[in-house]
Amino acid sequence: MIKQLSISRRRALKTTAAAAGALATPYFFVKAHAASDPKVLRLYNFDGTLGDFYTEHWYNPFRDKFDMKLEFIRLKGSRVPLEKVQAQIGAGQPETDLFPLHPDQLIFAKRNNLAMEIPRSAIPEYDNVYDEFISDYGPCLVLWSYGLAYDTEAVSPAPTSWKALWDPAYAGRVALNEALKDQTLQMVNLAFKGQLYPVDDETFSHLSDIRPNLVALWSSGADAEQLFRNNEIVMTPFWNGRVTKLKSEGLPLEFVVPDEGFFVRCSVYGIPRNARNPEMALEWLNFVCGHDPQKRMVEFGYGTPNKLVEHTPEQAKAVIVADPEVVKKAVAEDFTHILDNNAAWTDMWNKWKAS
Amino acid sequence: MSDANQKFKAWWLLSPTLLLYSLTFLLPVLLLVVMSFAKFENSVTEFGFYLGNYRKVFGDGITLLIFWRTVKLSVYITVACVVLGFPVAMVMRRAGPRGRLWLLFFIVSPLLTSIIVRNVAWVLILGRSGIINDTLREWGLIASPLPLMYNSFGVVLAVVHVYMSFMVLPIYGALQAINPSTEEAAASLGASPLRVFWFVTLPQSLPGLAAGCTLVFILSMGVYLTPVIMGGNFVVTLPMLITDVVRNQYNWPTASAMSLMLLVAIGAMVLVSSVVQKFGGRH
């Protein structure tokens, strides 16, 4: 005879809670253990092909060399969500052990004590890195060249000036960069005033003039790529790396350095304060400053801070910043000025958009 | 069981939900309030009682404008959902079980698709070289592409597509609760179908309509990604502005003040809706 099992509601609840706790404990233990594991390095990775390149040539070889486990957080675009990271650092738990910082983000990080200072002696490979690419917070590892991208089949003759964006022949076929509106505003000034600052009413009156040509304001490099792929636009200010990628897909695109000058920005790789694994983060920085990872970077189409890496003529053309004559056209941006005026510029920008 | 005992039991049952909402909603809102009075200067946040963020929000001449445009956009979306969704709900009410299931699937299906995929699909349909423009050009009806996206039209269309279900389902629920004999009685007394709808069906479905409008309006006030993709960044909503202030200026205090403004506006909408639902219920 089977005895009927009876169980009170209270007992059932207690048993369920105890079982859930017992089952969850190993999970939290494993998570906590992973968080402090010296063999785990957490990193941000860029989206698109640059992220894929990093994985193949910067991350996986390091993982294999040091028998590490790498955990990635994929970024949308190239900017780390510093506002979030700031809160995490404040709470003592940044989600990664390294972060790439755009120049304005580096200033913000300095002001808010978000990044660890890295002495030169901590990275032996600094001996092979140009001085101008070494900061107190880490090496400048990613060189972004920002010029004019255009469709070679639709834009003729090839543009030589930023002012080509204003050409009425391209009405409704041009896009501008909303994500880095500071760069857009400086570009307008460069085209019409021959200098980057001040950003003022005159700047915005030129922006109003370009309005009939604008189809969209893109908010990430991936968005701009899609605009080219969908044949929505024929010209936009863009990064050389993205153009190289689209060309490899068969799109008839070209990147040009306008006569008025172009922009070169460099992202510093730093270590967030309170990072869980700063030792391995330093090891990684030393590794990627080395010859092989940097040589791969040049082959991929980006500039390098490593003195020992040589360029073939084709690589120099793709990399943009390898040609000293071209580098002379790079304009010197004032990132402190940009950061401190960002709010005012954004208000003016939004008023312009709403007008 | 005594009243006190019953009340205690009710609170005990509610306690997990209350705890969850306290941690995930009330506490963050409280932090938002505190942050909105902090000072952001030289890229550094200092806590205190500083009214500058609210002065900026109400006095910079652009935040309020964007707020009103967000409200306007939400009204357009809500009205479009009502106009398109009410007939669907009525058809669902009269359809057989199989037809109702198909309609339900048709209405809910956008929610089952990733937001990125959905918006990219719209680009393929509405874009310069999209299906519509290409077809119209092939037929010789247009010489140059119609501006179907990167403007308010594109945003409203894409948002209505996905939020329609939040309008249809509450209305359908309200319609199902109507006793058909009231409509039949009106018709038998000589009322035309339009009069039956206007004086019998619509008033009785008002609670569902109000609930649908509230849901769609609130969701539209917070919409972010669709305007970014479909509006080409020319259609600016308050959530887009808040994101920009946080992401590019790292200015949490001003963003907090803006967020509270949005929250108060949504709270006001919920209040209005509950009054309408009460009125509708009594009717």
Side-chain angles (χ1 to χ4, degrees):
Chain A
M1 195 174 160
I2 300 167
K3 194 180 170 187
Q4 198 177 359
L5 182 70
S6 80
I7 185 164
S8 72
R9 195 167 43 181
R10 182 169 294 181
R11 192 165 175 188
L13 283 171
K14 273 184 183 171
T15 311
T16 310
L23 286 170
T25 305
Y27 170 78
F28 288 114
F29 177 76
V30 168
K31 286 293 277 184
H33 181 68
S36 57
D37 189 344
K39 282 289 190 185
V40 176
L41 190 66
R42 295 153 209 86
L43 306 127
Y44 289 109
N45 200 1
F46 298 121
D47 68 348
T49 48
L50 184 59
D52 297 339
F53 166 85
Y54 273 24
T55 304
E56 191 178 345
H57 298 292
W58 283 17
Y59 296 147
N60 289 349
F62 177 79
R63 179 198 62 193
D64 297 341
K65 185 176 175 184
F66 290 92
D67 189 24
M68 295 283 299
K69 187 183 173 207
L70 303 182
E71 290 177 357
F72 299 108
I73 293 174
R74 193 96 165 171
L75 296 171
K76 185 181 181 286
S78 65
R79 283 176 82 84
V80 164
L82 203 53
E83 70 289 350
K84 187 174 85 174
V85 175
Q86 183 184 17
Q88 290 171 342
I89 290 172
Q93 286 210 325
E95 61 188 350
T96 61
D97 299 305
L98 285 147
F99 53 1
L101 298 167
H102 279 260
D104 58 315
Q105 291 186 308
L106 181 65
I107 297 168
F108 181 82
K110 274 184 204 172
R111 286 179 179 175
N112 287 279
N113 192 22
L114 302 181
M116 282 172 52
E117 287 201 36
I118 300 175
R120 279 184 172 235
S121 56
I123 300 180
E125 280 289 348
Y126 269 172
D127 291 346
N128 300 321
V129 173
Y130 293 105
D131 275 351
E132 56 268 38
F133 291 98
I134 298 172
S135 82
D136 293 341
Y137 298 90
C140 280
L141 287 176
V142 197
L143 266 87
W144 313 93
S145 297
Y146 188 77
L148 198 52
Y150 68 99
D151 183 328
T152 52
E153 290 175 358
V155 179
S156 181
T160 55
S161 162
W162 291 110
K163 285 181 184 165
L165 293 162
W166 276 258
D167 190 333
Y170 308 115
R173 305 305 307 278
V174 164
L176 289 179
N177 183 352
E178 159 103 8
L180 292 178
K181 60 180 84 68
D182 52 282
Q183 222 161 16
T184 301
L185 295 170
Q186 292 179 104
M187 178 276 288
V188 175
N189 277 352
L190 199 57
F192 290 95
K193 299 183 190 176
Q195 59 188 36
L196 299 181
Y197 314 108
V199 170
D200 53 18
D201 290 344
E202 189 190 336
T203 314
F204 283 91
S205 96
H206 292 304
L207 265 182
S208 297
D209 293 340
I210 204 178
R211 198 70 181 254
N213 283 17
L214 290 182
V215 63
L217 302 167
W218 48 268
S219 47
S220 76
D223 294 344
E225 283 183 15
Q226 207 54 42
L227 288 169
F228 272 123
R229 285 195 198 97
N230 293 341
N231 192 29
E232 295 284 343
I233 60 168
V234 295
M235 208 172 356
T236 190
F238 214 15
W239 295 286
N240 64 319
R242 294 273 184 183
V243 175
T244 307
K245 178 192 172 191
L246 290 172
K247 280 167 78 174
S248 71
E249 290 176 14
L251 265 72
L253 290 188
E254 205 49 77
F255 178 89
V256 68
V257 171
D259 291 341
E260 298 96 340
F262 75 121
F263 301 87
V264 179
R265 287 186 175 183
C266 188
S267 290
V268 163
Y269 258 86
I271 302 174
R273 202 160 47 79
N274 298 330
R276 291 167 188 157
N277 201 349
E279 293 81 15
M280 284 319 290
L282 279 172
E283 202 67 67
W284 184 82
L285 287 175
N286 190 54
F287 174 80
V288 293
C289 283
H291 181 267
D292 283 354
Q294 288 303 316
K295 188 168 178 285
R296 298 272 175 273
M297 194 71 182
V298 168
E299 287 166 1
F300 185 63
Y302 280 82
T304 175
N306 191 303
K307 295 178 213 169
L308 306 179
V309 177
E310 291 176 354
H311 304 80
T312 65
E314 291 78 29
Q315 284 168 352
K317 186 169 179 281
V319 163
I320 311 293
V321 288
D323 183 343
E325 286 307 306
V326 178
V327 172
K328 280 181 195 166
K329 288 189 183 177
V331 293
E333 296 175 81
D334 181 345
F335 293 105
T336 304
H337 184 72
I338 290 171
L339 185 65
D340 291 340
N341 287 280
N342 200 345
W345 292 356
T346 300
D347 283 351
M348 293 164 88
W349 177 266
N350 284 329
K351 277 178 192 161
W352 166 71
K353 283 205 297 186
S355 65
Chain B
M1 193 184 283
S2 70
D3 271 4
N5 231 344
Q6 263 185 336
K7 268 186 189 167
F8 176 75
K9 204 169 180 182
W11 279 110
W12 177 242
L13 285 171
L14 278 175
S15 58
T17 311
L18 286 175
L19 184 69
L20 182 74
Y21 272 71
S22 302
L23 289 174
T24 60
F25 180 70
L26 294 178
L27 187 64
V29 169
L30 190 70
L31 291 173
L32 214 61
V33 173
V34 172
M35 184 61 91
S36 73
F37 291 107
K39 193 175 186 176
F40 184 76
E41 204 170 54
N42 204 19
S43 308
V44 176
T45 302
E46 283 171 32
F47 287 94
F49 190 76
Y50 174 69
L51 293 171
N53 301 310
Y54 288 97
R55 271 199 295 272
K56 180 187 160 35
V57 165
F58 291 102
D60 67 1
I62 188 66
T63 309
L64 272 185
L65 180 69
I66 291 174
F67 171 73
W68 285 121
R69 287 193 174 185
T70 310
V71 171
K72 214 161 79 176
L73 190 77
S74 303
V75 169
Y76 289 157
I77 292 165
T78 309
V79 169
C81 281
V82 171
V83 171
L84 297 171
F86 211 109
V88 176
M90 288 189 68
V91 171
M92 270 176 78
R93 182 191 178 200
R94 291 177 194 279
R98 184 177 291 225
R100 196 175 297 157
L101 201 67
W102 274 111
L103 276 169
L104 189 67
F105 175 74
F106 182 69
I107 290 297
V108 174
S109 60
L111 294 172
L112 308 175
T113 322
S114 136
I115 188 164
I116 301 286
V117 172
R118 211 168 47 227
N119 285 309
V120 169
W122 277 117
V123 174
L124 298 176
I125 295 167
L126 302 177
R128 183 185 173 82
S129 304
I131 296 166
I132 293 177
N133 272 318
D134 272 359
T135 309
L136 292 176
R137 256 184 305 202
E138 246 173 58
W139 289 351
L141 295 173
I142 54 169
S144 56
L146 296 173
L148 299 175
M149 56 181 293
Y150 304 126
N151 50 31
S152 298
F153 172 77
V155 175
V156 171
L157 188 64
V159 177
V160 166
H161 172 233
V162 69
Y163 288 171
M164 180 78 95
S165 54
F166 295 104
M167 183 64 77
V168 171
L169 295 180
I171 296 176
Y172 169 70
L175 288 174
Q176 281 290 85
I178 297 174
N179 185 348
S181 59
T182 56
E183 294 165 304
E184 286 160 13
S188 68
L189 290 170
S192 67
L194 192 67
R195 280 179 74 84
V196 172
F197 171 76
W198 192 252
F199 290 105
V200 181
T201 312
L202 185 63
Q204 291 191 79
S205 63
L206 217 52
L209 185 65
C213 287
T214 310
L215 279 173
V216 172
F217 183 84
I218 289 172
L219 289 169
S220 305
M221 286 290 284
V223 73
Y224 170 73
L225 205 55
T226 303
V228 169
I229 298 174
M230 299 299 293
N233 276 310
F234 282 118
V235 182
V236 186
T237 61
L238 195 58
M240 286 165 75
L241 186 63
I242 294 168
T243 306
D244 186 74
V245 170
V246 171
R247 191 175 285 171
N248 294 323
Q249 298 169 35
Y250 320 112
N251 187 344
W252 287 96
T254 302
S256 300
M258 288 174 176
S259 304
L260 284 171
M261 182 167 81
L262 191 63
L263 203 62
V264 168
I266 288 171
M269 177 64 196
V270 172
L271 207 68
V272 170
S273 164
S274 61
V275 169
V276 171
Q277 285 185 59
K278 208 172 168 186
F279 169 77
R282 241 190 258 152
H283 194 96

